[in-house]
Amino acid sequence: MENAASVRPPRTVSGRWVVVAMFAFGIAATGGIWVYWKLHLAPFMPLQKALAAEFEKSSPRVDGGWTKNEYKQSPPLLRVVLRVPYEPDERDARVPATIERVLTLTRAHIDLAAYDTLEIYLVHYVPEKNPQQYEWRRKISEL
C-alpha cells in the first residue's frame, strides 16, 4: 500500500501562462502570415488591383513561381486566375478580348522577363456544379 505522503498532486499550469502562450501563438501566426504575404504575394498586388478595377467582381488571383512538383527544376511561371460572369468558351468573342486585356495589364505591372510561361485561367462558377474553366498558356518568348 502506498503511503499518503508519497502521492503527488497532478501538475497544473497557471491560467496566466496559458493566456500568455495563446497570445504568443497568435502573434507568431500573424507574423508568419505577414511574412508570407510580403515575400510571396505583395509583388503581384499592383496587377491584382488593376485586374480588380478592370473586371468587376472578378476576384483576381496572381501568383508566380514554380509548381510543387517542379520546384526550381524548370523556369518559373506566372499564373493569373480571373472569375468571369459568362461561360468561358473559345468560341465566345469575350474570351479573346478578356485575355488581351489581361495581357496588357500584365505587361504594364509585371516584369515578364523573370518568367518563362504565362498562364491565364478564366473561371465561371455555376451554383451546385463544377466550375467551368478556360486555360490559356503561352511561353513569354512567344508574346
Side-chain angles (χ1 to χ4, degrees):
M1 224 170 167
E2 289 187 36
N3 188 349
S6 66
V7 177
R8 293 187 205 186
R11 296 183 80 178
T12 60
V13 177
S14 167
R16 180 176 303 188
W17 287 111
V18 171
V19 171
V20 167
M22 288 171 48
F23 271 107
F25 177 74
I27 291 168
T30 302
I33 290 170
W34 183 83
V35 166
Y36 171 78
W37 185 85
K38 196 70 173 163
L39 295 176
H40 189 71
L41 299 178
F44 308 111
M45 198 52 61
L47 175 58
Q48 236 174 265
K49 286 181 180 180
L51 289 168
E54 181 76 21
F55 302 101
E56 189 176 316
K57 297 181 183 177
S58 62
S59 304
R61 173 86 163 112
V62 181
D63 197 11
W66 295 269
T67 61
K68 289 180 187 178
N69 298 336
E70 301 173 350
Y71 185 67
K72 294 192 178 187
Q73 295 175 357
S74 64
L77 63 89
L78 180 67
R79 179 177 295 138
V80 177
V81 180
L82 199 65
R83 185 179 197 159
V84 293
Y86 55 87
E87 182 179 333
D89 189 325
E90 56 196 27
R91 296 174 299 228
D92 190 338
R94 294 175 287 189
V95 169
T98 302
I99 297 287
E100 192 56 44
R101 187 62 187 142
V102 170
L103 275 172
T104 302
L105 290 171
T106 301
R107 286 183 183 118
H109 291 90
I110 301 287
D111 176 22
L112 292 177
Y115 302 96
D116 180 62
T117 306
L118 174 63
E119 295 178 346
I120 299 174
Y121 292 91
L122 303 179
V123 182
H124 177 64
Y125 293 98
V126 180
E128 299 183 21
K129 292 185 181 176
N130 289 333
Q132 299 162 339
Q133 175 177 297
Y134 177 80
E135 178 184 340
W136 185 90
R137 179 189 290 227
R138 297 288 185 279
K139 295 279 188 189
I140 299 294
S141 59
E142 297 173 4
L143 297 178

